[in-house]
Structure formats: structure tokens, C-alpha cells
Amino acid sequence: MDMSDSNTTHHFDVIIVGSGGAGLSLALSLPSHYNIAVLAKSSLTEASTFYAQGGVAAVLDETDSIQQHIDDTMIAGAHLCELDAVKQTVEGGRSSVDFLLNHGVEFTLDEEDQLHLTREGGHSQRRIIHAADATGKAISTTLVQRAKEQKNLTIFENYIAIDVITLHKLGRKDQSNRAIGLYVLDEKTEKVHTFLAPFTALACGGAMKAYLYTSNPDIATGDGIAMAYRAGCRVANMEFNQFHPTCLYHPQARSFLITEAMRGEGAYLRLPDGERFMLRFDERAELAPRDIVARTIDHEIKRLGIRHVWLDITHKPAEFIQEHFPTLYTRLLELGIDITKDMIPVVPAAHYTCGGVVVDEHSQTDIEGLYAIGETSYTGLHGANRMASNSLLECFVYGMSAAQDIQNKFDSNFKWPDVPTWDESQVTDADEDVVILQNWDELRSTMWNYVGIVRTTKRLERALHRIEMLKREITEYYQDYRVSKNLIELRNLVLVSEMIVRCAMQRKESRGLHYTLDYPELGTELRKTVLTPPSFEVEQPLVNVV
């Protein structure tokens, strides 16, 4: 690793932003002689992958088929999924499972010592491999351990990416554009570093911290989507934000997710009077796709003026519940809820960003050398609604595909351009961080109230008005003061929130996760909503850089 400029400039072969399933599957699939940097915004395991309770969807049973998995995905995605992406992902199921097993992930086995398969909403077959009810934790901790063992990986924790560096942003308009690295804030020293590489991958998750109530960890601030858009990449389908139907309603655990697998194993949704209300809305009842279940819960909460509904699995034997959901059982018991005897109070919460940075089958974005993987990307897999447990599968399939593409394009004689270090001579320390906190709260409340599960044109217009005002304030603040983690995240969230609203305003129909009272019917045209940044043609200069 080459360092210069007071140890703040670093050269690598590949830079990976994010330490979840997408980033680490790429890192572990690249040749061991590549010099690779893995940047984690927090600790290595603080990624959405770690918190995934459900599992990985893959066709492994002889009664199942690739075509059935494809069909289920297309139906759940309201037929807006791109067939090539669905086929690539589903067909990569077995190799993804092999990848995880080879790295030592310990999945739950059945009585015959075969991988135990469970079922989740939208799936017509049992095809979810899992590690009890803490699959993400098992995958994350295992892949992190493997990454730590690799001598060619340098891991940087608490390093926050600020912006992508491209040739055109450096004024080299005579050359074809490509990404050559990032400016990154070391949160502990508060220094901005320059990370340079011929290949950069954004695998930093989604943007659901844009909403007041979310199941996501604090890292989900849309960093990769915002950075790619500012660099000149197209973004698509940002109106499709998945609200998980069952997040625990509890003052001490606002972000705690109740796994989809609980309904897959027979749990009922009930109103305060005990009615199984899903039966009134969909013949699939609790196993309907997430958008239907979330919208139905939202409808009943608003209709009755209640704060939550109930999830009930008490009709199952206590041993069955404790065996299948040990993590949930223990955690909820700590909060005074015995799920073998008590119903669980639940509400919908923002959960997954189905749109993202437009990529090809190798996760390559519009800019050469820049990749987007996992929830940061738009591959075409999810369409208008993500089917449960397809997202982890997508991470591994596209992570391995990106690794192959990088190997095919790798040039050991890559010529480094001159890149200026970050210039702070024109900025000062922020005088009052309360401005950031106030804007953060206002943004998330605006998104929750106006751009939530049920939308209207008027609500979206109000949201856009408020977001544009916040964006101006945040831009001025960013130009005047030294960067901080909170400021970087807020800058990204306000841009991604604007994208969500602008995409939603373009879709004049209700499809999948986008439901508007002004256009309640399905439209006749199947199309994705694409946002092309101003910098797609004329790149914007890097802020705070000479």
C-alpha cells in the first residue's frame, strides 16, 4: 500500500465501500494477489446484512424449480422486474449457497442433515435457507472473519466515503470518463483521506433512514446512491420503498424487525378484537407479498385509530417457537413479551430500497471502473416490490459477477492521474451542530408523513417543496463548514429523498410498493423510472477540492 501526502493518500487495486454481504462477497471473490481496501462506515458487522433475520432464497429442493422462483419473483415485483436480471439471480442460487457454505456459514439443517428450507411471503415453495432466525448475523460474522484472514485486504473501520473521484471531475474532459477512487473521512481523526484505485465498488446499502420509522441500522443513509448520482450515474425506481409489515412496536426497540419467516411458519395478524383481518383483503392472507400486508396493516391502523396490530404465533407449540425463533424469543422475553404465550405488537416500518444506481449484469454503473452492488444498486431484480430473501441472494450473485468483470478488465500498468488532496482552507468548524439535527428530524418526518405507504400528488408536492428548501440549506452548510459524519449523511439523505419524491411524481399509477390515491389502478405501460443527473453530460466540480 503506497501512502503519501502525510499518510492521507492511499493506492489500491480495488476499493470496496461497505462491509455487508455485497461488499465482502466481492472482496472474497477477487484474486488473493489484488491489493484491496474495505471501507466500513462503522464497525465491520454494522451492515444491513447482519440484521437480516430471514434467509437466502435458492432453488435447492427437487419439488421446486428455477422457473417457479422466476415466476414468483415476477409476480411479487408486479411484473416490473427485468427478466434477464431475475434469471441471472435465480440461476445463481446454488453457486451462492456453495460460496457461503465454502466460507463456513453454518445454516440450520433438518432431521436428515440437509439444509432446512422455510417459506416466506410471495414464495410458492419452501426455498429459504437460514440459520435459525438470525441468518444475517451468521453470514456477516462468518464473512467478516474470512475477510480478516485475507492478507491482501486492508480494513478501514469508521471511514465515511464523501464523494467519488472521476477523471472528468478532475477536468480531464479529453479522456473517457472513469472513476479512480474516493475522498473519505476518517471519523476518529477527522481527516479527509484520498483513496485511489482503478476499480471502486459502492456496496453501502440502502436509504431507509430517510424515514422516521425504519428497521434499518444507522448506516442506511443512501451514501452509495447519492455519491454515484453526483458522479454522473443514472438512478432508477426510487419510488419503490419497501415497508416491512412487522416491526416491533415498543418504546425500547423502535427498529427491531419481526422476521417474515414467522408468518411463513403460521403466525396470524390480528386486530385488538382478535380478528384475522388479512383474510378480508387477500386470499393468501398473512403470506401475501409484503406491500399488500404492509398497506393492509397501515389501512387498519388508520381506520381504527390504533397504534399497532398484533402478530400471534401462540397457537403453535412452545418448543416449535423456541426452536425456530430462538433470537426473537430471547430478545422479546427481555422486553417482557413471551411469544409462546403473548401476541407481539407490530407496525410497518421502512425496510428496503428497491431502486438504486443503474447497473449492468456485472454491477458496472454508467461510469467505467465504478460498480454498485446490493441495495445500493438497481439491477432490475426487484421491480416494483422485493420478494423476501431475494436481496441477500442478489448480493452474492452480483458480488461474484463484479469480481469476474474486474478480473477481465484488470490492467497492472494502470497509469495514475494527479489527484489533489482535500482542501479545507476555505471552510471553518461548524458553530452549531443543532442545525444538522433539526434538518435531519424535519427531513425524516416529511418523508414519513408525505411519502409513506399511501401517497397523493398533493403530499408529494408538499414533500418536494420542503426537501428543496432543506437541500439549499444543507448545500450552503456543506460549502461553509468542515465535513462531519452527520453532515455527510444528511447531504446524502436529502438528495436521495428528493430522488424518491421525483420518481414517485413521475409514476401515474399504483404498482407494487408505490400506492397513490390519485392513481389507484395499474397502468398499461411497464417501464422503470429513470433519473439522469445534470452531471450525466456536464460533470459538476468536486466541492472542497482545489
Side-chain angles (χ1 to χ4, degrees), residues 320-339:
F320 174 90
I321 297 169
Q322 291 170 11
E323 179 186 349
H324 281 74
F325 307 106
T327 308
L328 271 176
Y329 175 76
T330 303
R331 177 70 177 113
L332 291 180
L333 206 57
E334 293 170 358
L335 296 170
I337 301 169
D338 182 348
I339 63 175

Side-chain angles (χ1 to χ4, degrees), residues 234-250:
R234 291 169 301 151
V235 168
N237 279 18
M238 291 299 293
E239 70 271 35
F240 296 121
N241 308 296
Q242 188 172 73
F243 287 78
H244 196 287
T246 54
C247 201
L248 177 66
Y249 181 83
H250 195 284

Side-chain angles (χ1 to χ4, degrees), residues 359-502:
V359 296
D360 65 12
E361 68 272 22
H362 303 299
S363 293
Q364 168 80 50
T365 69
D366 292 321
I367 296 177
E368 186 67 30
L370 183 65
Y371 296 77
I373 319 171
E375 198 173 351
T376 298
S377 69
Y378 168 81
T379 63
L381 170 65
H382 304 306
N385 183 23
R386 176 182 74 97
M387 189 166 68
S389 292
N390 269 356
S391 50
L392 280 175
L393 176 61
E394 180 188 42
C395 288
F396 309 126
V397 170
Y398 280 86
M400 289 187 281
S401 181
Q404 188 59 55
D405 196 55
I406 289 171
Q407 289 179 70
N408 293 341
K409 295 175 178 176
F410 193 81
D411 178 5
S412 58
N413 297 315
F414 181 79
K415 291 182 172 54
W416 297 97
D418 292 328
V419 178
T421 55
W422 190 261
D423 177 32
E424 292 189 331
S425 62
Q426 305 300 313
V427 296
T428 61
D429 289 322
D431 51 358
E432 289 188 308
D433 280 348
V434 69
V435 175
I436 296 176
L437 181 63
Q438 168 65 28
N439 285 353
W440 177 282
D441 289 343
E442 184 173 349
L443 176 66
R444 297 178 73 203
S445 295
T446 297
M447 291 296 291
W448 183 259
N449 292 330
Y450 295 148
V451 201
I453 297 173
V454 177
R455 300 161 178 174
T456 66
T457 301
K458 186 173 287 187
R459 289 177 195 172
L460 294 175
E461 289 171 348
R462 286 175 177 162
L464 185 61
H465 177 67
R466 291 303 309 144
I467 289 167
E468 286 176 335
M469 290 179 64
L470 287 169
K471 187 179 176 185
R472 285 194 293 273
E473 289 180 18
I474 293 162
T475 299
E476 289 175 10
Y477 199 92
Y478 177 77
Q479 291 171 339
D480 292 340
Y481 298 108
R482 285 192 175 88
V483 292
S484 65
K485 178 182 179 181
N486 288 340
L487 179 56
I488 293 166
E489 291 181 332
L490 182 60
R491 178 182 179 232
N492 292 333
L493 269 184
V494 75
L495 175 56
V496 171
S497 296
E498 180 186 7
M499 293 181 206
I500 292 170
V501 175
R502 290 194 184 280

Side-chain angles (χ1 to χ4, degrees), residues 34-86:
Y34 283 15
N35 188 14
I36 302 168
V38 175
L39 309 180
K41 188 161 73 166
S42 183
S43 65
L44 275 180
T45 54
E46 186 62 11
S48 291
T49 298
F50 183 88
Y51 296 93
Q53 296 175 11
V56 182
V59 176
L60 302 175
D61 191 86
E62 60 185 19
T63 62
D64 198 2
S65 70
I66 296 291
Q67 191 57 51
Q68 281 179 281
H69 192 174
I70 290 172
D71 292 343
D72 290 345
T73 301
M74 297 295 287
I75 291 167
H79 299 285
L80 207 62
C81 312
E82 297 186 25
L83 184 58
D84 288 347
V86 177

Side-chain angles (χ1 to χ4, degrees), residues 64-300:
D64 198 2
S65 70
I66 296 291
Q67 191 57 51
Q68 281 179 281
H69 192 174
I70 290 172
D71 292 343
D72 290 345
T73 301
M74 297 295 287
I75 291 167
H79 299 285
L80 207 62
C81 312
E82 297 186 25
L83 184 58
D84 288 347
V86 177
K87 288 181 67 176
Q88 176 179 342
T89 307
V90 171
E91 289 172 355
R94 187 170 289 276
S95 60
S96 296
V97 173
D98 289 342
F99 168 82
L100 296 170
L101 291 173
N102 290 339
H103 281 292
V105 179
E106 295 184 0
F107 292 106
T108 298
L109 304 177
D110 60 20
E111 299 80 7
E112 299 173 356
D113 282 338
Q114 301 297 310
L115 289 169
H116 180 266
L117 302 176
T118 189
R119 184 180 170 193
E120 296 179 349
H123 292 273
S124 61
Q125 300 285 340
R126 284 181 170 266
R127 64 168 70 101
I128 315 301
I129 66 165
H130 61 103
D133 61 343
T135 309
K137 182 178 181 181
I139 292 172
S140 179
T141 52
T142 302
L143 295 186
V144 164
Q145 184 57 40
R146 295 294 87 77
K148 287 179 176 178
E149 294 166 0
Q150 306 303 308
K151 292 183 172 58
N152 65 316
L153 298 188
T154 306
I155 294 165
F156 298 84
E157 294 185 300
N158 300 297
Y159 274 66
I160 304 137
I162 303 171
D163 264 320
V164 177
I165 303 169
T166 67
L167 291 180
H168 283 190
K169 281 189 175 184
L170 295 174
R172 294 173 174 263
K173 300 296 179 66
D174 56 324
Q175 301 178 26
S176 59
N177 198 20
R178 75 168 294 136
I180 55 168
L182 303 129
Y183 289 107
V184 182
L185 174 69
D186 176 354
E187 188 183 3
K188 290 184 177 176
T189 66
E190 298 183 339
K191 279 185 173 294
V192 176
H193 292 237
T194 309
F195 281 77
L196 300 176
F199 300 98
T200 300
L202 304 174
C204 25
M208 289 300 90
K209 289 297 284 188
Y211 286 94
L212 189 59
Y213 299 106
T214 176
S215 64
N216 284 194
D218 289 341
I219 56 111
T221 52
D223 302 337
I225 300 171
M227 286 190 291
Y229 187 80
R230 285 195 296 265
C233 298
R234 291 169 301 151
V235 168
N237 279 18
M238 291 299 293
E239 70 271 35
F240 296 121
N241 308 296
Q242 188 172 73
F243 287 78
H244 196 287
T246 54
C247 201
L248 177 66
Y249 181 83
H250 195 284
Q252 293 171 255
R254 196 173 69 178
S255 310
F256 191 71
L257 188 68
I258 307 298
T259 175
E260 183 97 4
M262 185 169 279
R263 282 180 287 125
E265 293 295 344
Y268 300 142
L269 283 164
R270 297 189 187 277
L271 294 178
D273 64 2
E275 180 198 351
R276 272 187 71 194
F277 59 92
M278 281 303 305
L279 294 165
R280 285 192 275 115
F281 295 89
D282 195 289
E283 61 184 12
R284 293 165 291 186
E286 286 83 6
L287 287 176
R290 286 176 173 174
D291 61 319
I292 294 172
V293 179
R295 196 159 60 243
T296 303
I297 294 173
D298 183 70
H299 170 80
E300 291 296 282

